[in-house]
Amino acid sequence: MIKVENLHKSFGETKVLKGISTTFEQGKTNLIIGQSGSGKTVFLKNLIGLFEPNEGNIFYDQQKYGDLSTSNRTELRKKIGMVFQGGALFDSMTVEENVMFPLKMFTKKSNAEMLHRVHEVLERVNLNEANQKYPAEISGGMQKRVSIARAIVNYPKFLFCDEPNSGLDPRTATVIDKLIQEITKENNITTVINTHDMNSVFEIGEKIIYLQDGILAWEGTKDEIHHSNNKDLSDFVYSSNLFRKVRQAYQKGL
Ligand SMILES: Nc1ncnc2c1ncn2[C@@H]1O[C@H](COP(=O)(O)OP(=O)(O)OP(=O)(O)O)[C@@H](O)[C@H]1O
């Protein structure tokens, strides 16, 4: 579980996050949505410890980040998995080496133990046939799966995904969404996904927070979005014809 209390982040005079409070529960896929420039990435970077908030607190399973010593922050980081936008795989490493990287960094496992775990997670993301390939030799969807395998290889308690579907066709995007949701449930991880993809919202949005100009303007489930009276949220989510039709059908009970 991650609890955020009154989070503020500014750059010089520019206030980007203006007092965000919310909770992301364990075993759920939590989504952050909002217009470009609303502060999603800055919020995510605060959650993974890349930015230090100016004010407010973040609790990871009751541990208050601001109170943690440097060594305890390092320990916490070991429990965080990250799926970067675009995958961020190492081009010069094979799929197997990419996935093994966090184990080499953060554990003292033997080579055989690491390989065993790497094969286990690659199998979980249905990728066992590509172990010896380089990122350039596999498709974008496969690269995302490698990125997910790398993010979960060291048994994270918290998983952060920045635009996991960017650059993927809709069908592959749905497969990736489902994979992230299944892995979240199987391992009881607290997962937070930054997304522009409205399909993801309606496929896997167990909790959605909508940021607007650095403020949390709405939060709820995918079903609650259809009933929301928040006009800005509706304008944002239903900006396409297709999703307006989805809403009409939903409200008619179809
Ligand atoms: N390191 C930084 N220094 C100064 N300003 C920043 C920095 N990072 C982000 N900002 C500003 O914070 C605001 C929010 O940016 P952010 O990247 O969080 O938006 P976003 O909602 O993720 O947008 P997008 O959907 O386009 O990725 C923007 O005005 C941006 O210019």
Side-chain angles (χ1 to χ4, degrees), residues 56-78:
N57 296 307
I58 305 173
F59 297 83
Y60 299 84
D61 289 345
Q62 331 299 340
Q63 287 182 297
K64 189 172 173 181
Y65 187 76
D67 288 351
L68 295 180
S69 62
T70 310
S71 64
N72 283 341
R73 285 185 180 194
T74 307
E75 283 308 306
L76 175 66
R77 288 211 180 94
K78 290 181 191 171

Side-chain angles (χ1 to χ4, degrees), residues 11 16 34-43 51 163 194 196:
F11 297 98
V16 176
Q35 301 234 343
S36 214
S38 58
K40 303 182 297 294
T41 306
V42 171
F43 184 48
F51 285 154
E163 296 281 351
N194 189 356
H196 279 118

Side-chain angles (χ1 to χ4, degrees), residues 47-237:
L47 293 179
I48 58 176
L50 283 179
F51 285 154
E52 198 82 19
N54 296 86
E55 202 184 317
N57 296 307
I58 305 173
F59 297 83
Y60 299 84
D61 289 345
Q62 331 299 340
Q63 287 182 297
K64 189 172 173 181
Y65 187 76
D67 288 351
L68 295 180
S69 62
T70 310
S71 64
N72 283 341
R73 285 185 180 194
T74 307
E75 283 308 306
L76 175 66
R77 288 211 180 94
K78 290 181 191 171
K79 296 181 194 159
I80 290 178
M82 180 79 206
V83 177
F84 295 94
Q85 189 172 4
L89 299 175
F90 300 110
D91 291 337
S92 60
M93 292 184 188
T94 63
V95 163
E96 202 168 87
E97 288 163 347
N98 263 284
V99 177
M100 196 185 281
F101 188 77
L103 297 180
K104 281 193 165 166
M105 282 276 288
F106 293 128
T107 74
K108 293 187 168 60
K109 287 184 197 298
S110 70
N111 209 48
E113 284 170 323
M114 288 194 285
L115 264 182
H116 181 263
R117 176 62 182 154
V118 167
H119 292 162
E120 198 171 68
V121 286
L122 281 172
E123 208 162 292
R124 176 61 193 89
V125 301
N126 298 320
L127 251 193
N128 17 19
E129 78 283 8
N131 293 13
Q132 300 310 323
K133 294 203 164 143
Y134 287 89
E137 298 173 322
I138 59 177
S139 70
M142 289 164 95
Q143 289 176 12
K144 287 286 160 69
R145 283 194 265 160
V146 177
S147 182
I148 293 168
R150 185 176 63 182
I152 62 168
V153 72
N154 199 23
Y155 306 96
K157 295 190 78 181
F158 310 99
L159 178 64
F160 298 101
C161 309
D162 191 15
E163 296 281 351
N165 293 339
S166 65
L168 299 182
D169 66 80
R171 197 169 178 182
T172 308
T174 305
V175 171
I176 293 296
D177 276 346
K178 290 281 178 202
L179 182 61
I180 293 172
Q181 188 175 45
E182 284 165 16
I183 285 170
T184 298
K185 301 263 171 254
E186 285 163 17
N187 302 285
N188 206 18
I189 302 174
T190 304
T191 295
V192 182
I193 304 169
N194 189 356
T195 188
H196 279 118
D197 188 343
M198 290 309 127
N199 279 315
S200 303
V201 169
F202 293 114
E203 287 281 348
I204 60 163
E206 291 176 279
K207 168 155 181 175
I208 298 132
I209 69 165
Y210 172 60
L211 297 191
Q212 198 178 16
D213 194 20
I215 286 169
L216 194 156
W218 184 89
E219 61 183 339
T221 65
K222 58 182 180 176
D223 293 331
E224 286 164 352
I225 284 192
H226 293 305
H227 300 293
S228 164
N229 293 324
N230 184 314
K231 185 172 179 313
D232 291 320
L233 173 74
S234 299
D235 288 349
F236 176 70
V237 171

